[in-house]
């Protein structure tokens, strides 16, 4: 059974950093594209960052490019999102997601992801 568990969220001041983690289990880690998404109250879900199974290719939304970094752990069963220079507009629930199938990489488009974590809240105050 595929399981994705996010952690690392919290409340910080603008300009500070957080590191989110996504622990994946129940499948062969490293075979699937992974992504981080976020959803603020009253807003649509937004793709933030994505990484291919090999870890060689990473994608970022314009709103976080240069501030956020997605990475894999050595065993590829953990995905990280390093968030620096946080802004109040980064406040949202952040979700980790796994692609529906091996080889299906839709980067920041959520239709390609079939498994989601429960989310972790990130709150940035000014």
């Amino acid at each position: 059974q595929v399981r994705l568990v996010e952690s690392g969220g919290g409340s910080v001041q603008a300009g500070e950093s957080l590191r989110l983690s996504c622990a994946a289990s129940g499948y062969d880690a490293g075979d699937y594209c992974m992504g981080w998404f976020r959803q603020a109250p009253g807003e649509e879900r937004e793709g933030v960052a994505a990484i291919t199974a090999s870890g060689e290719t990473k994608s970022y939304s314009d709103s976080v490019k240069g501030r956020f970094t997605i990475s894999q752990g050595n065993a590829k069963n953990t995905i990280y999102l390093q968030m620096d220079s946080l802004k109040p507009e980064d406040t949202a629930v952040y979700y980790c997601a796994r692609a529906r199938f091996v080889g299906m990489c839709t980067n920041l488009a959520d239709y390609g992801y079939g498994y989601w974590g429960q989310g972790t809240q990130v709150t940035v105050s000014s």
Side-chain angles (χ1 to χ4, degrees):
Q1 181 179 353
V2 175
R3 189 164 185 238
L4 303 172
V5 180
E6 302 96 336
S7 61
S11 297
V12 297
Q13 297 286 320
E16 294 184 341
S17 298
L18 280 174
R19 189 192 197 200
L20 304 184
S21 299
C22 171
S25 61
Y27 65 98
D28 289 333
D31 287 347
Y32 295 84
C33 291
M34 301 289 294
W36 283 99
F37 293 76
R38 68 186 182 187
Q39 188 166 22
E43 302 288 333
E44 292 189 355
R45 185 166 58 194
E46 173 192 15
V48 173
I51 188 168
T52 56
S54 67
E56 293 181 354
T57 302
K58 303 173 184 181
S59 304
Y60 299 95
S61 66
D62 288 342
S63 59
V64 307
K65 197 173 295 182
R67 300 188 297 121
F68 290 12
T69 304
I70 189 171
S71 62
Q72 298 170 321
N74 290 336
K76 297 191 176 181
N77 59 356
T78 304
I79 304 295
Y80 301 100
L81 186 67
Q82 177 67 41
M83 306 186 296
D84 298 321
S85 302
L86 282 161
K87 304 175 180 180
E89 51 263 43
D90 294 319
T91 295
V93 178
Y94 284 71
Y95 299 91
C96 170
R98 197 208 81 175
R100 294 181 185 276
F101 309 111
V102 172
M104 184 174 191
C105 294
T106 57
N107 296 327
L108 305 180
D110 62 2
Y111 70 86
Y113 295 86
Y115 299 89
W116 298 81
Q118 82 289 349
T120 186
Q121 176 71 46
V122 172
T123 303
V124 184
S125 56
S126 58

